Amino acid sequence: LSVSPLEHLRWKMRSDPIAWRHHWVSEIDGRIVAVLLAIARRVRMRGRDYLVRDGVDASADPRIQGGRVYGALADHADMIAQNAEFDLGCGYVTNPRMWQQRRRKGRKPLGNPIQVLEKRYRACAIIARRRENYGGRLPAQLAVLRLKLETIFNRLGHRPYWRPTKRSWSITTLERFDDRIEGFFEEAAKPFDFLIVRGKDYMNWRYCEPAAGRFTVQVAEQDGRMLGYAVLKVSEGGYIADLLALPGRIDVVRSLVEDALHRFREVGVELVTCWMIRRHPYNGMLRRYGFVDSRRDAGFSCYPIRPDSPDVRFLADPGARIHLTHGDSDWI
């Protein structure tokens, strides 16, 4: 980050004009002992826009854990009248105990889930970094062999592209999104039943503020018209944080992915990560570029907040048309 951690946190808390009303703290003798922070997002669901609360940060002072302080804070956030501003809640949970709690509350995972796809350039470097950060059960040589075998099997099941995409459009770098993103999103959103609304203010807040981190916005355009975009990040690896094109324009998506991989190879990353829905139009294309399913779970769920909240049960259908990317979370 080019700013302090505190400035990054303040940036995150400014996700929406109403967001400031949905951050909570517990204090004892003037000292903060628990916090619960949320990002406000707008989601396009079956043609209508809804306001969604994404609980992104929560913690409690270890000295008071077990004293129900955090539980009381969470209950307050759920019961307070202004919580009715939100139509839905969502979150990304990978902790098994928290998933059990969500299931008891009736919250279901996506029937068409997010796959964490990886393109692996240097298996030895990937395993060395993972063992340094997390340890490992397998000996290093076996772990490297497993990655290489997964790459081979992926290639056998997904025939690689042998030639680059021929294109009549240009790919340029944007410092900030302009007004074109609004009309582009309206058209690009049509094939999907569920996706985060990508308006100008939101996209500039998410990817173009210094406090957000260093993202690169690549836009495919022709005669001034936006055909698609990719948002990239390099941080202990490469990330395709966001990727979207006009309906049916897989050729545009291919050109953006090729451009992204070229950039990542130039800076020498050992691993590129991209979240993509399993039955998404882009998934098979990414697999043909060598992206392998890591079998890690992003743990996304969406749930009603009020009795009159819209029905989200269709998200448990394996055929639900969903678009969610890494940048739709706060993980990068």
Side-chain angles (χ1 to χ4, degrees), residues 184-313:
F184 166 81
F185 173 75
E186 292 301 320
E187 190 171 352
K190 290 178 181 177
F192 300 107
D193 296 321
F194 186 96
L195 78 168
I196 301 297
V197 174
R198 285 153 162 78
K200 176 183 173 182
D201 291 342
Y202 175 82
M203 295 295 278
N204 284 327
W205 165 80
R206 181 64 182 90
Y207 298 120
C208 302
E209 297 292 336
R214 295 182 179 90
F215 292 94
T216 300
V217 178
Q218 295 295 102
V219 171
E221 54 187 356
Q222 188 172 29
D223 299 327
R225 185 190 184 205
M226 184 183 293
L227 305 179
Y229 71 83
V231 180
L232 316 178
K233 186 174 185 178
V234 176
S235 175
E236 293 189 355
Y239 296 89
I240 301 178
D242 203 346
L243 182 64
L244 187 62
L246 295 176
R249 296 305 303 266
I250 293 295
D251 54 345
V252 172
V253 182
R254 282 191 58 191
S255 69
L256 290 165
V257 171
E258 289 171 358
D259 176 79
L261 295 180
H262 174 72
R263 288 173 173 271
F264 291 137
R265 284 194 299 269
E266 282 191 329
V267 297
V269 301
E270 68 262 17
L271 176 71
V272 179
T273 302
C274 179
W275 285 12
M276 191 53 57
I277 294 293
R278 177 184 294 167
R279 297 176 184 84
H280 193 285
Y282 306 166
N283 193 301
M285 176 271 300
L286 288 165
R287 302 295 290 273
R288 293 183 66 177
Y289 278 106
F291 283 85
V292 177
D293 180 11
S294 68
R295 297 182 176 84
R296 298 201 306 274
D297 185 8
F300 178 83
S301 67
C302 185
Y303 49 90
I305 285 182
R306 307 187 311 268
D308 61 340
S309 291
D311 188 359
V312 296
R313 288 177 294 181

Side-chain angles (χ1 to χ4, degrees), residues 1-5 8 210-214 233:
L1 292 173
S2 60
V3 300
S4 69
H8 174 72
R214 295 182 179 90
K233 186 174 185 178

Side-chain angles (χ1 to χ4, degrees), residues 93-105:
V93 173
T94 56
N95 184 290
R97 290 183 61 186
M98 293 187 70
W99 252 121
Q100 289 298 327
Q101 294 174 3
R102 291 196 170 199
R103 287 193 176 96
R104 285 196 292 270
K105 293 180 179 179

